Amino acid sequence: MPTEKQTEISRQAKRLLKPGEKPTLKTLSRLSGMAVATVSRALSDAPDISDATKKKIRQIANDVGYVPNRAGVRLRTGRTNVIALVLAAEADILNHTAKLITSISEELQSTPFHLIVKPQLPGEDPLRAIRYFVETGSADGIIINQTTAEDTRVAYMLKKGFPFVTHGRTNWPDQHPFFDYDNEQLARQALQHLYDLGRRRILLVLPPQNQCYSQHLRTGAMDTAHKLGLELRFNEGVTANSSITVLREYLTGKLRDDPVIDAICGSSPASAMAGAAAAEANGLKVGKDIDILGKETIPFLKEFRPGIITAHEDVSRAGHFLTKAVIQAIRNPEKWPMQGIDIPSSDLFKY
């Protein structure tokens, strides 16, 4: 919230703006009483400008509707002040994408950078959008998700020396910035929890096998199943990213053909919702005859079916970290890349 002093400065700025005047750096200089160079550096988040000055300039700029001339910025700095978020347009990202975009946008508010979002359509060459941003120079940095072990997008940007960050790991964890959720540990805790509930024959619904986090989930699940003596089944022909309709039909048939399954462990809201619907279609009561476990980023699964067991992933934390990491990669490429892993809490399922 702005202070009373900041609010008064904003009021004065609005009064001093001439009718029909299109705000420029000179306008902000006149309204703030600071040199044009100071105003420009404040808006560019220069490290030698105090936070108080930056806040004052940005407040005035927001109040009078100042919009930087992108062409001019690019001529002066060689930068676009644009960060591109390239997201896979999968059916199941219904509550994941909004949270991620919001948190990235929040982190960018105090910077000169702006966000553009480019969906990657099913079947589209994953390198197409990346090449466009890199070769046209229409973004200063890129954020990508759903990484694979030897991701061609990552290999391409590493070769080009282009700033980027990944939501997920690759086989080159020492060469680029990333943020990831510890899905291996999640799988361990999930199967342990289901074991404690008396479940022994568990169906896992994993993301596409080429994605790193799917491999991490599989590793954690198989190790824990071996330790506890659990029988595991894995999804075939569908993935956790499939539509709810496709998943429901698959899981309904799977429970009918393999009636000893006593738990479904899904890695997405869609797989949990489909699992609950499939269980009921087979006359099973969720939480009594069968347990359904799903991962979500916005808590709503228990509203859908109170008996569903949920694991929460803090995508907001990921968004803020990814934004800081890509900005560092843009501004300070010589620094060691920022890297973070969100580890599930020990009481993940105790609520």
Side-chain angles (χ1 to χ4, degrees), residues 61-134:
N62 288 336
D63 289 338
V64 300
Y66 169 76
V67 178
N69 184 306
R70 292 292 181 84
V73 170
R74 190 163 184 174
L75 283 173
R76 290 195 307 272
T77 67
R79 290 181 179 169
T80 62
N81 281 347
V82 169
I83 289 174
L85 173 62
V86 181
L87 289 172
E90 298 286 358
D92 179 59
I93 57 176
L94 67 156
N95 68 4
H96 180 282
T97 302
K99 201 80 169 177
L100 189 63
I101 292 174
T102 299
S103 56
I104 292 173
S105 300
E106 288 172 349
E107 189 65 36
L108 290 177
Q109 278 188 323
S110 60
T111 77
F113 292 98
H114 299 267
L115 179 69
I116 59 174
V117 180
K118 172 64 174 72
Q120 180 183 307
L121 302 176
E124 182 182 7
D125 179 1
L127 268 178
R128 182 179 178 184
I130 305 302
R131 282 200 187 101
Y132 172 80
F133 288 119
V134 173

Side-chain angles (χ1 to χ4, degrees), residues 332-349:
N332 306 108
E334 75 285 352
K335 286 189 175 181
W336 184 262
M338 287 180 61
Q339 299 171 339
I341 298 178
D342 191 3
I343 300 174
S345 64
S346 58
D347 59 350
L348 185 64
F349 301 107

Side-chain angles (χ1 to χ4, degrees), residues 112 114 202 211 232 239 272 319 329 334 338:
H114 299 267
I202 302 169
Q211 294 177 12
L232 292 185
T239 75
E334 75 285 352
M338 287 180 61

Side-chain angles (χ1 to χ4, degrees), residues 296-307:
E296 61 185 359
T297 58
I298 297 175
F300 75 89
L301 284 174
K302 285 186 177 295
E303 299 297 326
F304 172 70
R305 292 291 186 280

